[in-house]
Amino acid sequence: MGALRAIIAGKRLESAGETFTSRNPANVTDIVGTYGNASIEDCREACRAARAAQGKWASMPAPVRAEILANFGKLIEKNKESLSRCLSREMGKPLREARGDVQEAIDTCHFFVSEGRRLYGQTIPSEMPDKECFTYRRPIGTFACITAGNFPFAVPSWYFIPALLCGNACVWKPSEDTPRLSEIFTELIHAAGVPEGVFNVVFGEGPKTGAALVALVDEGLIDKVGFTGSTAVGRGIGEICGRNLQVPCLELGGKNPLVVTPSADLDLAAHGITWSAFGTAGQRCTSLGNLIVHTSVKEALLGKVLAQVNALRIGDPFNEKNDYGPLISEKFAAGHARNVETLVKKHHILLTKQNGRVTESNKAALGARFDGDAKNGVYAFPTLVDGVTEADEIYATETFGPLVNVLTYSTFEDALRIANGTGYGLSSAIYTQDILEAYRFRTGIGAGMTSINNSTSGAEAHLPFGGNGKSGNGSRQSGIWVIDAFTKWQAVNWDMSGKLQLAQMDTGYVAPRDYTVVDKA
Ligand code: NAD
């Protein structure tokens, strides 16, 4: 069999040209699959197939479309374990987290299935007699979507389940880090009953197939773009959509702050910090970037955090005892090593003794806490950088790996300024027992999401997920809000009077009257 490069209207196209390889990051000699780079002509064909299939799909009653998505949820549930294992193998997150990634898709199906019976419009009174006004949600059309590999099941489900529910047809360019899982995702969507042309996939690398797909916005083949990935790429996509007067969904990077105040429960905070920083090896868009701790509790807090960091178990994602596995791929491992080398400066203090990539020669530093293959796997040590200030590049740079900055503050205003000062605004957290501080934090923080006495990462299928500033353009995923992204409002007025009635002119306005109360008592 050749390398799959696209699934368009149900047809599997194999590569005649360039290919790329998906490898297990815990052992890069284990090849998960080889895929082709879909060409711009493939992308055009996929968009045209979506356009051709969309009208019929949209004319199916929304509750029926929802039943098909309910099937999708049931199929995911039935295959949850094998999907989770495929996810761990291809992307490297521990099996427990992989199951959570898949579960998010099941939850999203549960949520949107009943939304199919609730795609409400409104009945609105007219200012004219014998006339009624209504609003309807209409699908947008062809939805093109590009996703990152760190949540390879949850994030696509956040896009496609509501997009399909609302009557759109889709073209997906999944991450080159997780093509095998994306192929299975597509098979399940089709097996659930989504017509083949309604859901199409083009595989490929970002600067090639991804860029080719986005270029089709200029050709009028795409009506809406969804993008989850880095801020730099998202900005370019936003520019293309902007000149076509389209509003994309842009879900981008983060540099998420977590503030620990003098009144905080330090044990609780230490647990939240360790999870926020090193869960998924720090490769969540919501991972902790800047730990901002009050000077009075810094020593006590860092003692607790370091005790946890020095107990972290790293290695095989299938070992349920491990806290984190390998980085997603060689690209992310190289990026992490570069960050440790170039962003950590002389005035910083590395609180962790061994940093950067785990190798055969340094893995002994982790002792029995490491059970990975250091030669063939792409593992990294956890890193805590103390002495970071707002003037440092590392303060405002997303590092997307197991690396956390430590900053200190004296007044609450300082803490809020540091938390808000990176230009990103995705997630945030505060640990405090002081109600006023918690209130001021949640009203003063610029992030799209904030946790009080909880970690920076975590999402629920019915809560809006998304960021501001460099983290996104204000679009949100999950919950009912996303329906606004995948529908456009149509206002309809129906005049039954049998004559031309003109609003603002023929309206029977009531003349104002005057009356003054005279109280004689
Ligand atoms: P990336 O931007 O390099 O790649 C993301 C996707 O975009 C991939 O499918 C890739 O192939 C594609 N791509 C890359 N260059 C492209 C181009 N020029 N044109 C079109 N498509 C292109 O990001 P990454 O490094 O793979 O992923 C990590 C980033 O994703 C981090 O910044 C992380 O914070 C972000 N992320 C954000 C969210 C969120 O919801 N806000 C969720 C997950 C990941």
Side-chain angles (χ1 to χ4, degrees), residues 400-452:
F400 206 70
L403 188 160
V404 169
N405 300 332
V406 181
L407 298 96
T408 49
Y409 78 93
S410 303
T411 68
F412 181 78
E413 287 66 33
D414 288 343
L416 199 56
R417 189 194 64 246
I418 298 169
N420 276 331
T422 61
Y424 288 96
L426 188 58
S427 185
S428 59
I430 187 168
Y431 280 81
T432 182
Q433 302 296 328
D434 180 325
I435 292 169
L436 183 61
E437 272 181 345
Y439 171 76
R440 287 191 176 152
F441 189 76
R442 72 173 201 254
T443 51
I445 193 77
M449 298 174 286
T450 195
S451 302
I452 298 162

Side-chain angles (χ1 to χ4, degrees), residues 507-513:
T507 304
Y509 290 120
V510 175
R513 295 199 183 177

Side-chain angles (χ1 to χ4, degrees), residues 150 208 285 321 346 367-368 477 487 512:
N150 61 340
K208 296 171 184 168
C285 51
K321 290 201 181 119
K346 280 209 178 82
Q477 299 196 285
T487 54

Side-chain angles (χ1 to χ4, degrees), residues 44 89 127 163 209 245 322 375 394 416 462 468 479 494:
R44 277 195 194 100
R89 176 181 171 217
E127 62 190 58
T209 307
L245 309 181
N322 282 338
K375 183 163 163 263
I394 200 170
L416 199 56
H462 45 277
N468 307 315
W494 187 0

Side-chain angles (χ1 to χ4, degrees), residues 297-511:
V297 291
K298 179 182 178 188
E299 205 182 318
L301 178 77
L302 288 184
K304 290 176 191 292
V305 171
L306 276 169
Q308 293 196 11
V309 171
N310 291 330
L312 283 172
R313 300 181 68 99
I314 299 159
D316 179 7
F318 290 99
N319 178 348
E320 309 253 358
K321 290 201 181 119
N322 282 338
D323 294 293
Y324 71 83
L327 302 188
I328 301 171
S329 70
E330 187 57 54
K331 169 187 131 176
F332 293 94
H336 175 70
R338 205 166 41 244
N339 288 335
V340 173
E341 269 164 35
T342 62
L343 295 177
V344 179
K345 305 290 184 195
K346 280 209 178 82
H347 65 278
H348 295 141
I349 304 145
L350 281 165
L351 299 176
T352 37
K353 287 195 193 91
Q354 190 71 53
N355 300 287
R357 185 150 177 176
V358 178
T359 62
E360 277 293 302
S361 54
N362 68 17
K363 70 177 186 186
L366 289 166
R369 295 189 291 112
F370 180 69
D371 71 351
D373 177 345
K375 183 163 163 263
N376 295 309
V378 288
Y379 293 97
F381 289 95
T383 295
L384 276 172
V385 187
D386 194 8
V388 173
T389 71
E390 290 160 274
D392 294 330
E393 190 183 354
I394 200 170
Y395 158 71
T397 305
E398 185 188 37
T399 41
F400 206 70
L403 188 160
V404 169
N405 300 332
V406 181
L407 298 96
T408 49
Y409 78 93
S410 303
T411 68
F412 181 78
E413 287 66 33
D414 288 343
L416 199 56
R417 189 194 64 246
I418 298 169
N420 276 331
T422 61
Y424 288 96
L426 188 58
S427 185
S428 59
I430 187 168
Y431 280 81
T432 182
Q433 302 296 328
D434 180 325
I435 292 169
L436 183 61
E437 272 181 345
Y439 171 76
R440 287 191 176 152
F441 189 76
R442 72 173 201 254
T443 51
I445 193 77
M449 298 174 286
T450 195
S451 302
I452 298 162
N453 294 325
N454 194 9
S455 80
T456 54
S457 53
E460 298 191 32
H462 45 277
L463 260 184
F465 185 101
N468 307 315
K470 289 195 284 182
S471 297
N473 61 344
S475 62
R476 292 293 180 265
Q477 299 196 285
S478 293
I480 48 168
W481 304 272
V482 75
I483 289 181
D484 279 332
F486 290 116
T487 54
K488 51 193 177 195
W489 282 109
Q490 180 190 39
V492 170
N493 74 86
W494 187 0
D495 196 323
M496 288 154 282
S497 68
K499 57 184 186 233
L500 179 65
Q501 302 193 91
L502 301 176
Q504 296 94 42
M505 285 168 265
D506 301 339
T507 304
Y509 290 120
V510 175

Side-chain angles (χ1 to χ4, degrees), residues 147 150 173 176 206 210 227-230 251-253 285 398 465:
T147 50
N150 61 340
K173 205 299 282 171
E176 55 270 56
F227 174 77
T228 296
S230 59
E251 308 293 342
L252 311 177
C285 51
E398 185 188 37
F465 185 101

